[in-house]
Amino acid sequence: MSWFFRIVFALLAALVLVLLLSPDAARAASANDAFSKESKLRAAYFLNFIKFINWPNHSQDNPLTPLHICLQDETPFEDFFRDLVSTAAAADDNRELLIYRLSEAQHCDYTYLHRPIQNENSKIEGSVVVLSSDQISQQDAAIIFYIDERKLRFEIDLNTIKKLNVMVSSELLKLARIK
């Protein structure tokens, strides 16, 4: 693993620790005791993946194009993820991240699903879809979390990535299982 990628993930771990110790995160965690470390890790990965994916509508000529992030309704880590994004936005103003619940969204560039969907496929068409588990089946999912030897890992479907016309950093690909 390259030194750059190690630094990025170390910074991400520090960000998660800061959020875990913040009063807002403590209130959110106490409100939902079932909220697991694994869910927090998924949220952190989901946010960090953005740094390693280039969307066609985001270029050096137009770096501030907002990224429309959609979370499926009742996503276990929604409040925690919103806190992560607000903290990350304060530290990095490269791109505005707009977060929506899938049921309220008009369009999604980047979507997190924790169960299959049936009637909102048009909203995620062209979106980089991340699945919370390999136990979920969803057509055209680009990134899928799975557990291997009690560790959270992820798989990237290169065919889906090519169809979406997005570029995924080789640094991220090195950490993924490729499908």
Side-chain angles (χ1 to χ4, degrees), residues 107-119:
H107 163 76
C108 305
D109 296 311
Y110 187 51
T111 305
Y112 184 86
L113 300 177
H114 58 94
R115 63 179 180 264
I117 62 169
Q118 294 163 8
N119 58 355

Side-chain angles (χ1 to χ4, degrees), residues 139-158:
Q139 184 176 352
D140 293 330
I143 302 173
I144 303 165
F145 285 111
Y146 67 96
I147 303 295
D148 181 35
E149 297 180 14
R150 297 180 10 191
K151 293 183 181 176
L152 184 63
R153 309 273 190 207
F154 59 94
E155 171 182 275
I156 297 177
D157 186 328
L158 289 181

Side-chain angles (χ1 to χ4, degrees), residues 129-174:
V129 175
V130 178
L131 298 181
S132 68
S133 168
D134 59 353
Q135 303 301 307
I136 300 169
S137 179
Q138 183 67 45
Q139 184 176 352
D140 293 330
I143 302 173
I144 303 165
F145 285 111
Y146 67 96
I147 303 295
D148 181 35
E149 297 180 14
R150 297 180 10 191
K151 293 183 181 176
L152 184 63
R153 309 273 190 207
F154 59 94
E155 171 182 275
I156 297 177
D157 186 328
L158 289 181
N159 290 329
T160 300
I161 293 295
K162 288 176 187 175
K163 286 181 201 173
L164 295 171
N165 196 29
V166 296
M167 298 293 294
V168 175
S169 164
S170 62
E171 294 298 317
L172 187 60
L173 292 173
K174 287 178 189 176

Side-chain angles (χ1 to χ4, degrees), residues 51-100:
K51 297 174 186 171
F52 299 95
I53 301 172
N54 290 320
W55 279 262
N57 65 350
H58 184 245
S59 67
Q60 290 180 346
D61 297 333
N62 196 8
L64 299 179
T65 305
L67 183 70
H68 297 265
I69 301 171
C70 297
L71 301 175
Q72 190 171 29
D73 293 14
E74 300 173 19
T75 294
F77 60 67
E78 181 177 348
D79 292 335
F80 181 77
F81 182 75
R82 288 179 185 276
D83 287 343
L84 273 177
V85 168
S86 65
T87 302
D92 178 26
D93 59 348
N94 282 341
R95 187 166 193 184
E96 184 179 10
L97 304 177
L98 303 174
I99 305 168
Y100 303 95

